[in-house]
mmCIF file of all heavy atoms in Angstrom:
data_model
loop_
_atom_site.group_PDB
_atom_site.id
_atom_site.type_symbol
_atom_site.label_atom_id
_atom_site.label_comp_id
_atom_site.label_asym_id
_atom_site.label_seq_id
_atom_site.Cartn_x
_atom_site.Cartn_y
_atom_site.Cartn_z
ATOM 1 N N LYS Q 719 10.069 136.188 -45.368
ATOM 2 C CA LYS Q 719 11.423 136.437 -45.899
ATOM 3 C C LYS Q 719 11.953 137.769 -45.313
ATOM 4 O O LYS Q 719 11.294 138.852 -45.438
ATOM 5 C CB LYS Q 719 11.374 136.544 -47.467
ATOM 6 C CG LYS Q 719 12.634 136.941 -48.031
ATOM 7 C CD LYS Q 719 13.642 135.890 -47.993
ATOM 8 C CE LYS Q 719 15.126 136.375 -48.229
ATOM 9 N NZ LYS Q 719 16.037 135.401 -47.949
ATOM 10 N N ARG Q 720 13.032 137.665 -44.679
ATOM 11 C CA ARG Q 720 13.646 138.916 -44.091
ATOM 12 C C ARG Q 720 14.974 139.150 -44.753
ATOM 13 O O ARG Q 720 15.687 138.210 -45.182
ATOM 14 C CB ARG Q 720 13.880 138.669 -42.561
ATOM 15 C CG ARG Q 720 12.686 138.531 -41.755
ATOM 16 C CD ARG Q 720 12.868 138.465 -40.347
ATOM 17 N NE ARG Q 720 11.654 138.077 -39.594
ATOM 18 C CZ ARG Q 720 11.511 136.793 -39.205
ATOM 19 N NH1 ARG Q 720 12.450 135.875 -39.396
ATOM 20 N NH2 ARG Q 720 10.405 136.331 -38.618
ATOM 21 N N TYR Q 721 15.308 140.453 -44.833
ATOM 22 C CA TYR Q 721 16.682 140.889 -45.220
ATOM 23 C C TYR Q 721 17.166 141.712 -43.980
ATOM 24 O O TYR Q 721 16.801 142.878 -43.865
ATOM 25 C CB TYR Q 721 16.692 141.823 -46.434
ATOM 26 C CG TYR Q 721 16.191 141.067 -47.707
ATOM 27 C CD1 TYR Q 721 14.956 141.357 -48.255
ATOM 28 C CD2 TYR Q 721 16.996 140.161 -48.319
ATOM 29 C CE1 TYR Q 721 14.557 140.814 -49.437
ATOM 30 C CE2 TYR Q 721 16.611 139.518 -49.451
ATOM 31 C CZ TYR Q 721 15.352 139.839 -50.024
ATOM 32 O OH TYR Q 721 14.953 139.267 -51.234
ATOM 33 N N GLY Q 722 17.970 140.978 -43.207
ATOM 34 C CA GLY Q 722 18.388 141.633 -41.934
ATOM 35 C C GLY Q 722 17.169 142.033 -41.076
ATOM 36 O O GLY Q 722 16.309 141.155 -40.861
ATOM 37 N N LEU Q 724 14.808 143.972 -42.014
ATOM 38 C CA LEU Q 724 13.719 144.288 -42.846
ATOM 39 C C LEU Q 724 12.875 143.029 -43.288
ATOM 40 O O LEU Q 724 13.450 142.138 -43.695
ATOM 41 C CB LEU Q 724 14.161 144.933 -44.157
ATOM 42 C CG LEU Q 724 13.029 145.513 -45.029
ATOM 43 C CD1 LEU Q 724 13.379 147.055 -45.375
ATOM 44 C CD2 LEU Q 724 12.966 144.661 -46.209
ATOM 45 N N THR Q 725 11.541 143.096 -42.984
ATOM 46 C CA THR Q 725 10.689 141.967 -43.318
ATOM 47 C C THR Q 725 10.068 142.238 -44.645
ATOM 48 O O THR Q 725 9.196 143.097 -44.798
ATOM 49 C CB THR Q 725 9.653 141.777 -42.199
ATOM 50 O OG1 THR Q 725 10.217 141.535 -40.959
ATOM 51 C CG2 THR Q 725 8.780 140.617 -42.551
ATOM 52 N N ALA Q 726 10.650 141.594 -45.716
ATOM 53 C CA ALA Q 726 10.146 141.777 -47.074
ATOM 54 C C ALA Q 726 8.774 141.035 -47.310
ATOM 55 O O ALA Q 726 7.943 141.583 -48.044
ATOM 56 C CB ALA Q 726 11.192 141.394 -48.105
ATOM 57 N N LEU Q 727 8.674 139.806 -46.745
ATOM 58 C CA LEU Q 727 7.489 139.127 -46.793
ATOM 59 C C LEU Q 727 7.097 138.691 -45.408
ATOM 60 O O LEU Q 727 7.858 138.161 -44.701
ATOM 61 C CB LEU Q 727 7.586 137.861 -47.707
ATOM 62 C CG LEU Q 727 8.035 138.088 -49.173
ATOM 63 C CD1 LEU Q 727 8.268 136.766 -49.898
ATOM 64 C CD2 LEU Q 727 6.851 138.890 -49.841
ATOM 65 N N ILE Q 743 -0.301 143.035 -57.766
ATOM 66 C CA ILE Q 743 -0.190 144.561 -57.925
ATOM 67 C C ILE Q 743 0.154 145.135 -56.551
ATOM 68 O O ILE Q 743 -0.032 144.378 -55.429
ATOM 69 C CB ILE Q 743 -1.418 145.254 -58.421
ATOM 70 C CG1 ILE Q 743 -2.669 145.014 -57.539
ATOM 71 C CG2 ILE Q 743 -1.754 144.690 -59.860
ATOM 72 C CD1 ILE Q 743 -3.933 145.867 -57.950
ATOM 73 N N GLY Q 744 0.569 146.353 -56.405
ATOM 74 C CA GLY Q 744 0.821 146.911 -55.173
ATOM 75 C C GLY Q 744 2.018 147.869 -55.234
ATOM 76 O O GLY Q 744 2.725 147.859 -56.243
ATOM 77 N N PRO Q 745 2.201 148.753 -54.227
ATOM 78 C CA PRO Q 745 3.291 149.777 -54.334
ATOM 79 C C PRO Q 745 4.641 149.132 -54.411
ATOM 80 O O PRO Q 745 4.926 148.004 -53.993
ATOM 81 C CB PRO Q 745 3.098 150.558 -53.041
ATOM 82 C CG PRO Q 745 2.188 149.769 -52.175
ATOM 83 C CD PRO Q 745 1.436 148.819 -53.012
ATOM 84 N N SER Q 746 5.620 149.983 -54.842
ATOM 85 C CA SER Q 746 7.046 149.542 -54.911
ATOM 86 C C SER Q 746 7.480 149.288 -53.560
ATOM 87 O O SER Q 746 7.132 150.061 -52.634
ATOM 88 C CB SER Q 746 7.693 150.758 -55.571
ATOM 89 O OG SER Q 746 9.056 150.599 -55.525
ATOM 90 N N GLY Q 747 8.281 148.306 -53.447
ATOM 91 C CA GLY Q 747 8.816 147.901 -52.091
ATOM 92 C C GLY Q 747 7.946 147.023 -51.189
ATOM 93 O O GLY Q 747 8.244 146.769 -50.096
ATOM 94 N N SER Q 748 6.773 146.563 -51.784
ATOM 95 C CA SER Q 748 5.804 145.788 -51.051
ATOM 96 C C SER Q 748 6.084 144.337 -51.025
ATOM 97 O O SER Q 748 5.446 143.527 -50.278
ATOM 98 C CB SER Q 748 4.327 146.062 -51.396
ATOM 99 O OG SER Q 748 4.189 145.718 -52.817
ATOM 100 N N GLY Q 749 7.106 143.846 -51.752
ATOM 101 C CA GLY Q 749 7.547 142.421 -51.726
ATOM 102 C C GLY Q 749 7.227 141.611 -52.880
ATOM 103 O O GLY Q 749 7.469 140.361 -52.827
ATOM 104 N N LYS Q 750 6.680 142.203 -53.964
ATOM 105 C CA LYS Q 750 6.243 141.416 -55.105
ATOM 106 C C LYS Q 750 7.432 140.656 -55.810
ATOM 107 O O LYS Q 750 7.326 139.508 -56.068
ATOM 108 C CB LYS Q 750 5.561 142.257 -56.136
ATOM 109 C CG LYS Q 750 4.399 143.134 -55.538
ATOM 110 C CD LYS Q 750 3.824 144.101 -56.549
ATOM 111 C CE LYS Q 750 4.697 145.106 -57.214
ATOM 112 N NZ LYS Q 750 5.338 146.155 -56.275
ATOM 113 N N SER Q 751 8.520 141.390 -56.032
ATOM 114 C CA SER Q 751 9.631 140.602 -56.644
ATOM 115 C C SER Q 751 10.314 139.620 -55.718
ATOM 116 O O SER Q 751 10.697 138.623 -56.149
ATOM 117 C CB SER Q 751 10.802 141.717 -56.993
ATOM 118 O OG SER Q 751 10.312 142.613 -57.945
ATOM 119 N N THR Q 752 10.315 139.926 -54.423
ATOM 120 C CA THR Q 752 10.750 138.994 -53.464
ATOM 121 C C THR Q 752 10.001 137.744 -53.494
ATOM 122 O O THR Q 752 10.646 136.564 -53.532
ATOM 123 C CB THR Q 752 10.763 139.584 -52.012
ATOM 124 O OG1 THR Q 752 11.509 140.844 -52.062
ATOM 125 C CG2 THR Q 752 11.238 138.644 -51.064
ATOM 126 N N LEU Q 753 8.705 137.825 -53.594
ATOM 127 C CA LEU Q 753 7.880 136.589 -53.764
ATOM 128 C C LEU Q 753 8.250 135.726 -54.925
ATOM 129 O O LEU Q 753 8.392 134.477 -54.853
ATOM 130 C CB LEU Q 753 6.349 136.989 -53.805
ATOM 131 C CG LEU Q 753 5.470 135.691 -53.636
ATOM 132 C CD1 LEU Q 753 5.373 135.361 -52.110
ATOM 133 C CD2 LEU Q 753 4.080 135.987 -54.209
ATOM 134 N N LEU Q 754 8.433 136.390 -56.069
ATOM 135 C CA LEU Q 754 8.855 135.687 -57.335
ATOM 136 C C LEU Q 754 10.248 135.050 -57.139
ATOM 137 O O LEU Q 754 10.484 133.914 -57.613
ATOM 138 C CB LEU Q 754 8.802 136.580 -58.474
ATOM 139 C CG LEU Q 754 7.545 136.472 -59.386
ATOM 140 C CD1 LEU Q 754 6.287 136.695 -58.496
ATOM 141 C CD2 LEU Q 754 7.600 137.626 -60.478
ATOM 142 N N ARG Q 755 11.191 135.812 -56.497
ATOM 143 C CA ARG Q 755 12.514 135.246 -56.444
ATOM 144 C C ARG Q 755 12.447 134.020 -55.409
ATOM 145 O O ARG Q 755 13.254 133.098 -55.622
ATOM 146 C CB ARG Q 755 13.433 136.377 -55.863
ATOM 147 C CG ARG Q 755 14.093 137.235 -56.954
ATOM 148 C CD ARG Q 755 15.354 137.887 -56.288
ATOM 149 N NE ARG Q 755 15.165 138.499 -55.127
ATOM 150 C CZ ARG Q 755 14.704 139.684 -54.938
ATOM 151 N NH1 ARG Q 755 14.332 140.462 -56.095
ATOM 152 N NH2 ARG Q 755 14.457 140.220 -53.803
ATOM 153 N N ASP Q 761 16.049 132.854 -53.536
ATOM 154 C CA ASP Q 761 16.135 133.391 -52.278
ATOM 155 C C ASP Q 761 15.648 132.367 -51.226
ATOM 156 O O ASP Q 761 14.477 131.914 -51.366
ATOM 157 C CB ASP Q 761 15.393 134.713 -52.108
ATOM 158 C CG ASP Q 761 16.256 135.847 -52.217
ATOM 159 O OD1 ASP Q 761 17.440 135.737 -52.115
ATOM 160 O OD2 ASP Q 761 15.600 136.917 -52.303
ATOM 161 N N ASP Q 871 8.142 139.443 -63.908
ATOM 162 C CA ASP Q 871 8.273 140.555 -63.017
ATOM 163 C C ASP Q 871 8.320 141.951 -63.782
ATOM 164 O O ASP Q 871 9.380 142.233 -64.291
ATOM 165 C CB ASP Q 871 9.515 140.321 -62.129
ATOM 166 C CG ASP Q 871 9.617 141.275 -60.943
ATOM 167 O OD1 ASP Q 871 8.677 142.131 -60.802
ATOM 168 O OD2 ASP Q 871 10.523 141.146 -60.140
ATOM 169 N N GLU Q 872 7.279 142.624 -63.672
ATOM 170 C CA GLU Q 872 7.160 143.935 -64.432
ATOM 171 C C GLU Q 872 7.796 143.899 -65.779
ATOM 172 O O GLU Q 872 8.664 144.680 -66.089
ATOM 173 C CB GLU Q 872 7.809 144.993 -63.481
ATOM 174 C CG GLU Q 872 7.069 145.199 -62.249
ATOM 175 C CD GLU Q 872 7.546 146.540 -61.529
ATOM 176 O OE1 GLU Q 872 7.720 147.486 -62.282
ATOM 177 O OE2 GLU Q 872 7.501 146.546 -60.360
ATOM 178 N N VAL Q 902 3.672 140.127 -61.962
ATOM 179 C CA VAL Q 902 3.825 141.379 -61.324
ATOM 180 C C VAL Q 902 3.579 142.530 -62.436
ATOM 181 O O VAL Q 902 4.395 142.455 -63.319
ATOM 182 C CB VAL Q 902 5.071 141.543 -60.587
ATOM 183 C CG1 VAL Q 902 5.177 142.902 -59.961
ATOM 184 C CG2 VAL Q 902 5.237 140.413 -59.562
ATOM 185 N N HIS Q 904 2.221 146.770 -63.363
ATOM 186 C CA HIS Q 904 1.507 148.005 -63.000
ATOM 187 C C HIS Q 904 0.538 148.283 -64.189
ATOM 188 O O HIS Q 904 -0.088 149.417 -64.206
ATOM 189 C CB HIS Q 904 2.484 149.181 -62.920
ATOM 190 C CG HIS Q 904 3.391 149.104 -61.729
ATOM 191 N ND1 HIS Q 904 2.979 149.106 -60.473
ATOM 192 C CD2 HIS Q 904 4.681 148.778 -61.693
ATOM 193 C CE1 HIS Q 904 3.965 148.884 -59.641
ATOM 194 N NE2 HIS Q 904 5.030 148.749 -60.279
ATOM 195 N N PHE Q 919 -0.648 143.545 -52.972
ATOM 196 C CA PHE Q 919 0.397 143.447 -51.991
ATOM 197 C C PHE Q 919 0.592 144.952 -51.212
ATOM 198 O O PHE Q 919 0.410 145.912 -51.811
ATOM 199 C CB PHE Q 919 1.875 143.240 -52.581
ATOM 200 C CG PHE Q 919 2.131 141.784 -52.567
ATOM 201 C CD1 PHE Q 919 1.470 140.838 -53.258
ATOM 202 C CD2 PHE Q 919 3.195 141.393 -51.850
ATOM 203 C CE1 PHE Q 919 1.865 139.491 -53.269
ATOM 204 C CE2 PHE Q 919 3.590 140.092 -51.796
ATOM 205 C CZ PHE Q 919 2.907 139.184 -52.545
ATOM 206 N N GLY Q 922 4.672 143.697 -47.594
ATOM 207 C CA GLY Q 922 4.984 142.346 -47.397
ATOM 208 C C GLY Q 922 3.804 141.349 -47.136
ATOM 209 O O GLY Q 922 4.009 140.143 -46.762
HETATM 210 P P1 ADP A 1390 8.531 145.206 -55.038
HETATM 211 O O1 ADP A 1390 8.947 144.132 -55.969
HETATM 212 O O2 ADP A 1390 7.170 145.042 -54.636
HETATM 213 O O3 ADP A 1390 8.883 146.586 -55.437
HETATM 214 P P2 ADP A 1390 10.711 144.060 -53.459
HETATM 215 O O4 ADP A 1390 10.333 142.661 -53.408
HETATM 216 O O5 ADP A 1390 11.689 144.281 -54.463
HETATM 217 O O6 ADP A 1390 9.391 144.890 -53.697
HETATM 218 O O7 ADP A 1390 11.302 144.579 -52.117
HETATM 219 C C1 ADP A 1390 10.624 144.369 -50.827
HETATM 220 C C2 ADP A 1390 11.389 144.954 -49.772
HETATM 221 O O8 ADP A 1390 12.621 144.132 -49.555
HETATM 222 C C3 ADP A 1390 11.948 146.368 -50.029
HETATM 223 O O9 ADP A 1390 11.921 147.146 -48.808
HETATM 224 C C4 ADP A 1390 13.310 146.163 -50.566
HETATM 225 O O10 ADP A 1390 14.189 147.302 -50.356
HETATM 226 C C5 ADP A 1390 13.786 144.977 -49.779
HETATM 227 N N1 ADP A 1390 14.792 144.158 -50.495
HETATM 228 C C6 ADP A 1390 14.585 143.490 -51.574
HETATM 229 N N2 ADP A 1390 15.720 142.819 -51.991
HETATM 230 C C7 ADP A 1390 16.628 142.997 -51.073
HETATM 231 C C8 ADP A 1390 17.990 142.530 -50.834
HETATM 232 N N3 ADP A 1390 18.511 141.752 -51.603
HETATM 233 N N4 ADP A 1390 18.581 142.997 -49.802
HETATM 234 C C9 ADP A 1390 17.979 143.735 -48.864
HETATM 235 N N5 ADP A 1390 16.651 144.243 -48.966
HETATM 236 C C10 ADP A 1390 16.074 143.900 -50.080
#
Side-chain angles (χ1 to χ4, degrees):
K719 173 69 194 173
R720 297 188 191 94
Y721 295 108
L724 185 130
T725 302
L727 297 173
I743 66 172
S746 172
S748 58
K750 306 176 303 292
S751 295
T752 302
L753 190 77
L754 262 51
R755 274 202 309 276
D761 258 350
D871 194 355
E872 297 196 31
V902 175
H904 294 295
F919 265 68

